[in-house]
Amino acid sequence: AGVTPPITTMTSTIQLLQSHPFLLGLALRLSLLFLLPLLLDDNPLLRGVRYTDIDYDVFTDAAFHVADGRSPYERHTYRYTPFLASLLAWPLDSGHGHGDDAGTSLNNHEEEEDVPLLAWRLIGTLLSAKYFGKILFCVADAICGYIIVVLRKQRRRRVSEDGEEDDERQYKQHNNKVSGWRRLLDISPGLKDSLWWLYNPLPINICTR
């Protein structure tokens, strides 16, 4: 009854961040992935400031080389695994993603390919080389963050089974003794797990560029 609305709102937000870390972390990455290049790469916000990293251009150029049946290493400064270029070339295969030719190519292969495969290729074409690789990077990055969360939870569970005082138990004991804003500032172990990677600005910035 004595809790103020701002604290109630903050508590609900923290509970949401703890309950769905993977989905929220992935949604945050995908939102920034589309929003920041739109504001910076296309120059409506800051002229001369580009969000997309130059290495992503190298990745996509190498992917076009692979889609055309050439070596990715024909792209100057590409020094990465050929698997990466082949992975990014998947929606570009057989002309998909090359502008107006994509629709023609899809129509030519419509009778030859299974419907699910055709649907996935169409999705890859709609995403285009500009975003397809970044989406893969964001999904992979969010999965890494989720693995960290799972491993840290398992570690706390093992500590608890060994009879030691784990972080979760200490947090609950301390959190029950405080109230109001002090309780909000006392970050739970579950949220700390997510802050290591899923809500960390550094990996978010790297995978969305």
Side-chain angles (χ1 to χ4, degrees), residues 168-180:
E168 192 76 39
R169 190 177 304 171
Q170 291 178 2
Y171 166 77
K172 290 179 179 179
Q173 292 175 354
H174 180 265
N175 197 252
N176 291 332
K177 299 177 182 178
V178 297
S179 59

Side-chain angles (χ1 to χ4, degrees), residues 34-82:
F34 288 102
L35 178 62
L36 292 178
L38 182 64
L39 295 176
L40 296 174
D41 291 0
D42 299 332
N43 297 325
L45 188 61
L46 293 174
R47 290 190 174 276
V49 178
R50 194 166 182 264
Y51 184 74
T52 299
D53 193 276
I54 188 64
D55 277 342
Y56 186 73
D57 294 335
V58 176
F59 295 156
T60 53
D61 288 347
F64 277 111
H65 278 64
V66 172
D68 292 337
R70 295 180 290 165
S71 169
Y73 298 106
E74 292 183 22
R75 203 295 183 186
H76 181 61
T77 72
Y78 186 80
R79 300 292 184 269
Y80 311 95
T81 171

Side-chain angles (χ1 to χ4, degrees), residues 76-123:
H76 181 61
T77 72
Y78 186 80
R79 300 292 184 269
Y80 311 95
T81 171
F83 174 74
L84 176 60
S86 299
L87 188 63
L88 299 184
W90 175 65
L92 310 175
D93 187 36
S94 301
H96 301 333
H98 291 271
D100 296 336
D101 294 337
T104 303
S105 179
L106 286 172
N107 291 331
N108 293 337
H109 291 78
E110 186 173 1
E111 296 181 356
E112 302 175 7
E113 298 178 345
D114 295 334
V115 174
L117 180 59
L118 178 62
W120 279 111
R121 287 184 178 273
L122 179 59
I123 292 174

Side-chain angles (χ1 to χ4, degrees), residues 123-142:
I123 292 174
T125 302
L126 295 176
L127 292 175
S128 79
K130 182 177 180 180
Y131 295 113
F132 180 72
K134 290 186 178 184
I135 291 174
L136 287 181
F137 297 154
C138 287
V139 171
D141 191 69

